[in-house]
Amino acid sequence: MQWRGVVSCLRITVVSLSVMIGLGLPWAGWAWAASAPAQLPAETLTIHLGTAAGALRFEPDYLEFVAGQRYKLMLDNPSNQKHYFTAKDFADAVWSQKVEAGNVEIKGAIHELELKPGAQAEWVFIPQKSGLYELHCSIAGHAEAGMMGQIEVKAPV
Ligand SMILES: [Cu+2]
């Protein structure tokens, strides 16, 4: 609870600073806003697609974001079969900066990710629209067996 309080305070401080910059130094404020999105500090979250024991589920199966904040979502597949991270409405509601996997960095819109056994990927994005979105694995039978989840994007405080 205390931690949440500190976070809200920090958010209010950041908003106040932005407002002050915007009002006091219009040109500096404009330049800051124009270059900001890709440089905002990123909060890191992790999601596992499947489990080492072979369970068909996402861990965790609920992710929460705040619109306008930058995130680095670390995806991995600890199981011995491939899985998908399919959340099309969510993907349409975010600005994707990049996906990094192995030595490859992919820029631009992302719709779905497939992770082979043992694979890892990092997806950097900024959610744009609040809402409750569904997540599932699109391999036949996996969603039915429980490989589903929810992604909530909250409006900025
Ligand atoms: Cu799956």
Side-chain angles (χ1 to χ4, degrees):
M1 286 312 268
Q2 268 188 332
W3 185 83
R4 278 180 184 273
V6 170
V7 170
S8 327
C9 275
L10 283 175
R11 279 194 195 130
I12 289 161
T13 308
V14 169
V15 170
S16 314
L17 279 175
S18 322
V19 170
M20 287 192 292
I21 290 167
L23 291 176
L25 299 162
W27 290 106
W30 178 81
W32 177 84
S35 62
Q39 289 157 23
L40 289 170
E43 187 178 323
T44 301
L45 284 90
T46 300
I47 186 164
H48 308 291
L49 280 59
T51 70
L56 294 174
R57 62 170 186 259
F58 291 97
E59 282 187 355
D61 64 1
Y62 171 80
L63 294 172
E64 187 181 301
F65 302 103
V66 174
Q69 294 202 10
R70 184 165 169 260
Y71 293 92
K72 182 193 281 187
L73 181 62
M74 317 278 287
L75 303 103
D76 64 40
N77 179 352
S79 79
N80 61 6
Q81 59 181 319
K82 70 178 181 182
H83 292 296
Y84 277 77
F85 182 100
T86 305
K88 289 192 169 148
D89 292 340
F90 171 72
D92 286 343
V94 308
W95 173 73
S96 280
Q97 184 180 348
K98 61 179 177 178
V99 168
E100 277 189 58
N103 293 323
V104 179
E105 187 172 304
I106 300 141
K107 316 244 191 215
I110 299 295
H111 296 291
E112 192 172 43
L113 294 106
E114 177 190 315
L115 272 76
K116 298 203 162 45
Q120 292 183 310
E122 289 179 22
W123 183 11
V124 181
F125 58 82
I126 300 177
Q128 306 286 295
K129 265 198 301 189
S130 57
L132 187 61
Y133 304 96
E134 70 89 27
L135 162 71
H136 69 275
C137 172
S138 52
I139 304 274
H142 285 199
E144 292 78 358
M147 204 159 179
M148 296 178 352
Q150 285 188 317
I151 303 174
E152 185 161 14
V153 176
K154 300 201 158 178
V157 180

